[in-house]
Amino acid sequence: LVGTATYFEGPEGIDSLLRSGPNEELRNLVDRLSLRSRLENADHGVRLVFVTNASLDLAGADYISARGDQMPVLDVWPRDRLAGIAERTAALRVGDTPISLEAAADPMVADLPDGVRMAIGLFAAPDLVRLPGIDDLSIFQLNVRLGLGRTRINKELARTIKDPQEHDLFCAYHNGMTLLTRAFEVDGTGLDLTGVSVVNGCQSLLALHANQSSLSPSLRVLVRIVELGTHTELVDSITYRTNNQNPVNIRDQRSTDRVQRDLQSELAERYGSELGFAIRNGEPLSGFGSVVENSFIAQLMMATYLEEPWNAVRKLKLFDQEYHRIFNRHLNADKVFLLHLIDEAMRDQRADLAPELVASFSSVRFTIANLVFELIRLTADGEAFLEDPSNALHGKRDQVAAQLADATAEAIQSINDFVIAREEEAAEAGSTFDPKTIFKSRAGVGSLRRDAVGYAKRMMRRDDSYGFYLGDGS
């Protein structure tokens, strides 16, 4: 199962899977889910779930322990974990166990239509983790999902819980929880519940429960308690709607970072309506000649300034583990605009790629951009330009655009020549060569880059005018 994860790293993995001759059922599933196009957009994550009706033996338990936090996450469901869930799904309901809670202040109680009531209040985490049914997960039987393991969000939540300095403000930036109960009575700050089930907030309550030693009374959680009364049909509706809101990904969360807002403002100040910088989904950006998303700039930064084009297709990773490598004081509006110009040059010359690469342009383009940078760096003018492109972009824009077009043409030609040479070598050896494999590995890009740079250096020795020069524009 772990080995199959490589098939889902990008569209090339799906191509490899289909070439391996899978059975018709799997091939139809790949087509029906449009997996290749989904992975080509690279806005995805991979999580492995292994389900077995057997119990884990010692080797299995040791393997899970040895993997630790390795990605992708491996979530194992053996017999003992399945059994409890299976029993609970036989009769989903809110129980009738009496429970008492104490709020930090008098809860707000609202009377809703048809006799439904709701109470909202702040409750101390040490009291919430004593709710019955957390250990055996029975309190979550109406929740659409259970624990998701050591995901990035859950690890960040655990770190927050363990930091006492975060406790006082926890309720201000946490989304809270939703509980269902058969009935509740309020007496000042006290609430008496008849039965309880968590329909939203499973991850949070499990994280609090797992870190009980770090809890304090000042760590409080906003809780909505809905009294069902006789309206049991509300269970499905509340469960669905509280767990079916638009997801917020890591890129959305970064949109409020100062570096994102500063880049957006700086680009507007230096380039006016030429280029808009989109930092969040649904942002209204009109009146610009072009608009570039920060996610795409992150990919180009990874491919060019950070010199790792094989990692550029992993969008989620760029706004997570790699975020501060990309978005820091070295990235400014001029570099964003330069990357935009390189992208324009690549799109203008896309048709010049070998036919088998045109369809994979969304991933090949990052290696092209990387080669463009490598070719520019071969001259002192080019090295200085990449470090600080501001003066040239404002004073010699036409000259810069022309030289970027030349460097892009050279990069594309180098890629085509490299692919042709490898295909000929494979044919002579009686095998086949898949050119798309070049762009997904450090070794493949490294070999291609050596060929391209070596050719460019030989040309520079023969022709003094070959290469990236700003000079007087002659």
Side-chain angles (χ1 to χ4, degrees), residues 230-249:
T230 59
H231 298 278
T232 55
E233 73 279 359
L234 282 177
V235 171
D236 288 342
S237 179
I238 294 173
T239 300
Y240 175 80
R241 297 187 186 282
T242 56
N243 290 280
N244 199 47
Q245 300 168 16
N246 289 330
V248 177
N249 62 29

Side-chain angles (χ1 to χ4, degrees), residues 22 59-60 66 108 136 187 195 211 244 260 290 293 295 312 332 398 434:
M108 182 187 79
D136 66 358
D187 183 8
N211 295 279
N244 199 47
Q260 298 293 332
S290 299
E293 292 191 353
S295 56
N332 55 37
D398 291 343
D434 181 3

Side-chain angles (χ1 to χ4, degrees), residues 264 277-288 291:
Q264 191 178 56
F277 188 62
I279 62 177
R280 56 184 172 178
N281 290 326
E283 189 172 18
L285 290 174
S286 59
F288 291 96
V291 174

Side-chain angles (χ1 to χ4, degrees), residues 79-331:
R79 175 187 299 182
D80 54 347
R81 189 177 179 188
L82 284 172
I85 304 301
E87 290 172 359
R88 288 193 295 278
T89 57
L92 296 181
R93 64 184 183 87
V94 178
D96 53 11
T97 302
I99 299 146
S100 295
L101 288 173
E102 191 75 23
D106 290 355
M108 182 187 79
V109 178
D111 292 319
L112 305 179
D114 299 325
V116 177
R117 293 194 304 159
M118 179 172 67
I120 301 176
L122 291 176
F123 295 86
D127 291 337
L128 293 175
V129 297
R130 288 195 286 270
L131 289 172
I134 299 177
D135 287 323
D136 66 358
L137 304 182
S138 59
I139 195 173
F140 306 113
Q141 64 176 339
L142 299 180
N143 207 81
V144 298
R145 59 187 180 185
L146 297 174
L148 297 181
R150 292 178 59 80
T151 64
R152 175 187 59 81
I153 296 297
N154 286 345
K155 286 188 283 187
E156 289 181 0
L157 179 58
R159 283 195 295 269
T160 300
I161 293 170
K162 292 177 181 178
D163 184 357
Q165 302 300 316
E166 298 275 9
H167 287 191
D168 287 336
L169 287 175
F170 185 86
C171 58
Y173 47 67
H174 183 265
N175 290 335
M177 298 167 49
T178 301
L179 310 182
L180 300 185
T181 184
R182 288 176 177 267
F184 68 75
E185 295 296 334
V186 179
D187 183 8
T189 58
L191 275 86
D192 292 323
L193 312 179
T194 302
V196 65
S197 184
V198 176
V199 294
N200 188 265
C202 171
Q203 309 304 312
S204 299
L205 189 53
L206 287 175
L208 293 169
H209 189 262
N211 295 279
Q212 293 185 56
S213 61
S214 300
L215 301 183
S216 68
S218 62
L219 197 165
R220 294 170 295 181
V221 180
L222 178 67
V223 180
R224 283 189 308 171
I225 301 172
V226 181
E227 180 187 74
L228 294 173
T230 59
H231 298 278
T232 55
E233 73 279 359
L234 282 177
V235 171
D236 288 342
S237 179
I238 294 173
T239 300
Y240 175 80
R241 297 187 186 282
T242 56
N243 290 280
N244 199 47
Q245 300 168 16
N246 289 330
V248 177
N249 62 29
I250 184 64
R251 181 209 172 201
D252 296 324
Q253 294 177 32
R254 298 292 193 187
S255 66
T256 58
D257 282 6
R258 183 172 181 175
V259 64
Q260 298 293 332
R261 291 182 282 113
D262 286 351
L263 273 174
Q264 191 178 56
S265 298
E266 185 187 1
L267 201 66
E269 179 183 337
R270 292 186 63 78
Y271 294 94
S273 61
E274 283 191 81
L275 184 65
F277 188 62
I279 62 177
R280 56 184 172 178
N281 290 326
E283 189 172 18
L285 290 174
S286 59
F288 291 96
S290 299
V291 174
V292 64
E293 292 191 353
N294 59 351
S295 56
F296 184 54
I297 291 300
Q299 292 180 287
L300 287 175
M301 279 292 294
M302 179 60 73
T304 56
Y305 283 102
L306 297 180
E307 304 181 47
E308 298 176 15
W310 54 88
N311 276 331
V313 296
R314 308 179 191 281
K315 288 184 182 179
L316 295 181
K317 183 178 180 181
L318 302 186
F319 279 81
D320 194 351
Q321 300 100 311
E322 305 290 355
Y323 182 77
H324 294 293
R325 288 181 66 202
I326 297 169
F327 294 102
N328 53 48
R329 61 185 179 84
H330 297 294
L331 178 58

Side-chain angles (χ1 to χ4, degrees), residues 48-107:
L48 304 173
V49 181
F50 184 80
V51 181
T52 174
N53 61 0
S55 297
L56 277 182
D57 60 13
L58 183 60
D62 286 345
Y63 178 72
I64 295 172
S65 176
R67 274 188 61 84
D69 294 334
Q70 289 183 46
M71 299 298 289
V73 172
L74 175 61
D75 190 9
V76 177
W77 285 75
R79 175 187 299 182
D80 54 347
R81 189 177 179 188
L82 284 172
I85 304 301
E87 290 172 359
R88 288 193 295 278
T89 57
L92 296 181
R93 64 184 183 87
V94 178
D96 53 11
T97 302
I99 299 146
S100 295
L101 288 173
E102 191 75 23
D106 290 355

